[in-house]
Amino acid sequence: MTRTPLSGVACSIARATDLFGDAWTALIMRDVLTGIDRFDELAQDLGISRKVLTARLARLVEEGVLVRERYQERPPRERYAATEKGEELYPVLLALMSWGDRWYAGDAGPPARIHHLDCARDTTMVAACAHCGGPLTPENTTQLPGPGGRTGPGTRVLGPLLAARTERGDPAV
């Protein structure tokens, strides 16, 4: 089945899911950010076909999320490392993990824990305001149009909705 490309949609969520819209890509990033960085280890851990893994890794390298680094000359072997762009995905994966732990962990509990080395405590991801530190929820936030916003595929209803908030002078504006 051919997927509709979302890279042209004026929405950062759409553009991000254009790259990370399949489970393999997120799981590859989970593994690389956890320290599984060699092709054979990734294939073994994920149980993914070599063809699919090759394609996903190539796309992540092409997008500047991962870099390929040679660690052995004979035979030639490479490892994958996250770039700054790739490392910035870590909070996104932690947020997805926290949500999955809450709703899908089952009776046995979460399959992994996040341990914060700075305070030596187990923790979970919390979405917080960068200014006041308060929680971010649908009830206490609103979306407003940004400088790159436009109405089009993927934002035919959302674009005018956001623009109307500014025109109305909503309290958040």
Side-chain angles (χ1 to χ4, degrees), residues 26 91-101 125:
V92 175
L93 295 174
L94 290 182
L96 191 57
M97 178 181 171
S98 291
W99 184 81
D101 287 349
M125 181 64 184

Side-chain angles (χ1 to χ4, degrees), residues 76-147:
R77 300 265 190 231
E78 296 172 328
R79 63 181 285 276
Y80 294 87
T83 62
E84 180 182 1
K85 185 177 181 180
E87 287 179 354
E88 287 187 10
L89 281 167
Y90 192 61
V92 175
L93 295 174
L94 290 182
L96 191 57
M97 178 181 171
S98 291
W99 184 81
D101 287 349
R102 176 180 165 109
W103 296 104
Y104 295 103
D107 294 337
R113 296 177 296 127
I114 300 302
H115 189 78
H116 189 225
L117 299 175
D118 290 351
C119 71
R121 309 260 323 251
D122 286 356
T123 190
T124 59
M125 181 64 184
V126 176
C129 176
H131 301 283
C132 71
L136 299 176
T137 68
E139 292 78 26
N140 69 11
T141 61
T142 191
Q143 290 187 36
L144 301 171

Side-chain angles (χ1 to χ4, degrees), residues 6-7 19 28 33 36 38 55-56 59 69 72 81 84 117 125 133 145 156 162 168 170 172:
L6 301 173
S7 58
L19 177 60
I28 289 166
L33 291 167
I36 300 171
R38 297 176 182 183
R56 297 306 187 279
R59 175 89 191 274
E69 300 172 341
Q72 179 179 309
E84 180 182 1
L117 299 175
M125 181 64 184
R156 286 192 174 98
L162 299 185
R168 283 195 307 261
D170 281 5

